[in-house]
Amino acid sequence: MQITDVRIRLMEKEGKMKAVANITIDDALAIHDIKIIEGEKGLFIAFPSTKRKDGEFKDIAHPINQATRELLQNMILEAYNKALSESKQA
């Protein structure tokens, strides 16, 4: 599996959600609306989810193992930091 594209959309207003990422895998599969959130222990990503009838949220798409989650999180946060840096220079 290769992440072939990462696009970041920074949030304009203050809050815990800092940006939204869209990724492309192997130039064949896209996952949209991965949230970049500022938590108590730093930045983390949250995959797209839907609210169930019982009020709980269930991920629509997500990594199956921790190694893949860490790979995706590292790539997305690296792209976020780059986008943030570029926005401050503009």
Side-chain angles (χ1 to χ4, degrees):
M1 176 185 81
Q2 183 176 356
I3 308 304
T4 50
D5 189 33
V6 179
R7 296 179 189 229
I8 303 294
R9 187 174 69 244
L10 299 172
M11 296 289 105
E12 293 183 15
K13 60 182 180 177
E14 291 295 318
K16 290 185 179 190
M17 189 164 74
K18 301 300 181 185
V20 175
N22 299 328
I23 63 170
T24 304
I25 302 169
D26 292 333
D27 286 325
L29 175 68
I31 301 176
H32 296 278
D33 297 332
I34 300 169
K35 297 174 187 80
I36 300 171
I37 300 171
E38 180 77 48
E40 291 179 11
K41 297 179 182 178
L43 293 172
F44 67 94
I45 60 173
F47 282 83
S49 62
T50 186
K51 191 172 185 179
R52 298 178 357 179
K53 289 181 182 180
D54 63 5
E56 289 190 37
F57 286 89
K58 179 150 179 82
D59 285 348
I60 295 169
H62 60 89
I64 298 298
N65 57 57
Q66 188 63 28
T68 303
R69 178 174 291 278
E70 288 173 7
L71 171 75
L72 292 171
Q73 181 159 291
N74 290 340
M75 291 186 78
I76 290 168
L77 293 181
E78 182 179 312
Y80 166 74
N81 287 325
K82 182 179 177 186
L84 193 59
S85 176
E86 289 172 355
S87 76
K88 290 180 179 180
Q89 293 176 1

